Amino acid sequence: MPHEEWLIRGARLLLPDGVMGRGDALISRGRIAALGGRPAAPSGARVLDARGALLAPGLIDLQINGAWGADFALAPPEAIARAAERLAGDGVTAFLPTLISAPLPRLEAALGRIAAAAALGRGARILGVHLEGPFLAPARRGAHRRAHLRRPSTAEFERLWRASKGLLRLLTLAPELPGAAAVMRAARRRGVLVSLGHTAGDAGDFDRAAAAGARMVTHLFNAMEPFHHRSEGAAGAALTDDRLVCGLIYDRVHVGARAAALALRAKGPRSLVLVSDAVFALGLGPGRCRSGGTDYELRGGEFRVRGGPLGGAVRTLRACAAFFARDLGLPLADAWRLASENPARLLGERLGLAAGRPADLVLVDDGGRVRASFVGGRRWK
Ligand code: ZN
């Protein structure tokens, strides 16, 4: 496919590290060729007038189980690629398809399909896979089936790593389980980030895990011991340990606005990451649906196992960022960083608004609507 050239005129620029700029951006050969000022439009370049809208790095979703009817644990590569295209049109330019606990052979098969989808290279980039499980605490399993939870095993971790063809990037585990320390060491050797979650562990378990190299906490406040002033628990450790970046589902269902404000104050603007934790039902209309043998009900932004617990989230990461900004009284740009710059930094990806970087960009208005989005310079909206 020929490379598209675009000149985006008159945008507010969401530059790295809290800096805002103004000016134009030139996209050429899939990269940001020039940024700021008023470069002349090269012949053949298409011009897009931003009219003061925000040009921002694309959103990166570190935790998303499915979207627009595709469950990443079950869908064929073609359906995953179609979901990646829809995500790109909605401002998500990269993501980690996320798999929850399942029998090992099923996880291995899903990892193979996701690797095949990644090779198609359509829509949002698949930067890797997030395995949320199966080494999780039964007492805090949430929507994970008890029968699918396993004692941490380095042999099983290695099996899953091989099945992912190197795509395994993030592993959520409960650090207090016997064998977890060995799996954390194995993950580190493979360059897989460890995130702590679905855990019955206490502050001491989090402290030891952070010392062993754990970098993240999965959906802060959900599926862990809550904060109490005399028994601070996992949430207390997550909020106060500067070694740990915290993921947060801000869909107005999983976490309240004051808890989100507390998390932002405790972690600061660089150590909080918004995630969608969306499931296949994201983008579907309200009503009943079925996947993987389970019946679900979607109503008013809440997605539940029929007659049971929350079954995941159904808001896009873009909606979560917009909710976060509105409810906490922040400019959208500040919330956007939590879902773009921060996950990129955690993954060690050189993305963002700087000349020479890949053109994974979103032009977004103050209401959070996407006017244009690009992945590697290719326009998806
Ligand atoms: Zn979870």
Side-chain angles (χ1 to χ4, degrees):
M1 179 188 323
H3 286 289
E4 300 174 29
E5 273 200 324
W6 288 92
L7 182 66
I8 301 170
R9 283 237 188 260
R12 284 183 297 130
L13 306 172
L14 191 76
L15 301 172
D17 301 318
V19 179
M20 293 296 297
R22 225 168 235 290
D24 300 355
L26 179 63
I27 297 173
S28 181
R29 299 183 169 272
R31 294 193 172 261
I32 302 169
L35 197 63
R38 289 219 66 173
S43 64
R46 281 174 273 188
V47 177
L48 186 62
D49 187 355
R51 292 191 204 92
L54 185 69
L55 186 64
L59 300 169
I60 302 176
D61 201 340
L62 297 182
Q63 186 165 5
I64 175 165
N65 307 279
W68 285 285
D71 183 334
F72 299 146
L74 303 167
E78 173 62 29
I80 298 172
R82 271 201 306 277
E85 292 179 354
R86 299 287 295 266
L87 285 169
D90 201 69
V92 174
T93 55
F95 67 114
L96 301 184
T98 303
L99 301 174
I100 68 166
S101 304
L104 251 50
R106 255 164 52 195
L107 288 175
E108 288 174 310
L111 288 165
R113 290 190 295 268
I114 292 169
L120 295 174
R122 280 162 44 194
R125 297 174 198 271
I126 295 176
L127 292 177
V129 171
H130 178 176
L131 266 186
E132 191 193 22
F135 310 132
L136 305 177
R140 295 282 183 184
R141 68 185 187 280
H144 294 242
R145 291 212 187 143
R146 184 188 289 272
H148 296 164
L149 303 184
R150 306 181 70 79
R151 285 267 292 263
S153 146
T154 48
E156 292 185 1
F157 167 80
E158 290 293 334
R159 240 178 94 176
L160 293 165
W161 190 84
R162 280 194 301 275
S164 83
K165 301 185 169 74
L167 268 185
L168 180 53
R169 201 81 187 268
L170 185 59
L171 175 72
T172 293
L173 58 66
E176 74 280 9
L177 297 176
V183 169
M184 283 193 269
R185 282 194 296 276
R188 226 176 150 182
R189 278 196 300 275
R190 294 295 193 191
V192 175
L193 292 173
V194 170
S195 188
L196 311 176
H198 287 276
T199 168
D202 60 17
D205 294 310
F206 270 42
D207 190 47
R208 283 184 289 279
R215 297 282 311 282
M216 187 179 170
V217 173
T218 297
H219 45 54
L220 175 65
F221 300 124
N222 292 112
M224 67 182 65
E225 188 189 350
F227 180 77
H228 183 282
H229 63 285
R230 281 193 301 272
S231 167
E232 299 116 313
L239 285 166
T240 54
D241 192 324
D242 290 340
R243 295 170 293 186
L244 296 169
V245 168
C246 290
L248 191 78
I249 310 168
Y250 200 73
D251 62 345
R252 287 182 171 162
V253 174
H254 283 76
V255 175
R258 289 177 189 82
L262 175 66
L264 181 61
R265 289 186 193 195
K267 300 311 293 180
R270 288 167 66 92
S271 293
L272 193 64
V273 171
L274 299 181
V275 300
S276 73
D277 201 13
V279 296
F280 71 96
L282 180 153
L284 304 182
R288 290 176 185 172
C289 49
R290 192 177 165 82
S291 180
T294 305
D295 288 307
Y296 297 96
E297 191 148 29
L298 173 61
R299 199 186 303 154
E302 264 191 33
F303 182 71
R304 291 185 175 276
V305 176
R306 251 185 90 196
L310 287 172
V314 287
R315 299 295 192 187
T316 63
L317 187 54
R318 180 177 62 83
C320 293
F323 287 160
F324 191 90
R326 211 166 307 150
D327 295 355
L328 274 68
L330 303 170
L332 178 66
D334 290 5
W336 198 274
R337 289 186 194 279
L338 306 182
S340 56
E341 192 174 312
N342 288 1
R345 189 185 309 112
L346 184 70
L347 293 176
E349 294 283 342
R350 286 179 55 79
L351 295 167
L353 256 66
R357 301 256 171 105
D360 290 12
L361 303 171
V362 182
L363 189 65
V364 60
D365 70 18
D366 286 336
R369 281 173 296 268
V370 174
R371 285 186 46 201
S373 71
F374 301 86
V375 179
R378 182 166 175 204
R379 189 166 178 184
W380 289 95
K381 183 179 180 169

